[in-house]
Amino acid sequence: MKDANALALSVIREALPDGTRVAISMPDDWPAAKALVLCRRVGGPVTSVRHGLDRPMFTVSAFAASHAEASSLAHAAQSALYDAARRGHRGVSAFRSVSGPAWLTGAPAGSERYSFTAVVSVH
């Protein structure tokens, strides 16, 4: 079975501007002024271990120095997952938005945060 989190990170990384850090968790050495996208599996069932079908739910958060940049990164990440599903890229076969992208409070000082949650199918 494919590592759904690694797959999502790779799909998102390919779609973002050079220099954007993409990770599962907040890096200790991250300077708040730099672009960062976190993609973390927060649920979703493995619907068929035998056939390798997984339906992970991801929360994706984009951090950047401005609202506009954080929003742009979140929308680009969401579009990357949607486009991968539409094309069947790397075994991603479906995409369903659950929420967002939306501005959220709680970003580290000097940054803004936009997040979305989505379910994808991976086989």
Side-chain angles (χ1 to χ4, degrees):
M1 182 170 305
K2 293 181 181 178
D3 179 339
N5 220 123
L7 177 62
L9 288 169
S10 178
V11 166
I12 290 169
R13 190 175 288 118
E14 290 172 1
L16 298 180
D18 289 342
T20 303
R21 193 165 182 178
V22 180
I24 292 174
S25 60
M26 184 67 77
D28 292 334
D29 64 344
W30 176 68
K34 297 290 185 179
L36 169 69
V37 173
L38 301 180
C39 176
R40 184 175 309 150
R41 184 178 187 147
V42 294
V46 174
T47 56
S48 175
V49 173
R50 182 175 182 200
H51 296 100
L53 183 59
D54 195 1
R55 301 250 325 138
M57 177 182 289
F58 295 105
T59 293
V60 179
S61 296
F63 298 86
S66 70
H67 280 283
E69 186 181 6
S71 175
S72 178
L73 289 171
H75 282 88
Q78 187 179 51
S79 292
L81 290 172
Y82 172 81
D83 288 343
R86 187 178 51 78
R87 295 182 291 128
H89 182 60
R90 294 185 167 181
V92 179
S93 60
F95 173 90
R96 181 175 58 85
S97 179
V98 176
S99 67
W103 177 73
L104 296 176
T105 60
S111 68
E112 299 294 338
R113 174 181 172 195
Y114 275 76
S115 293
F116 70 89
T117 301
V119 176
V120 299
S121 291
V122 178
H123 63 275

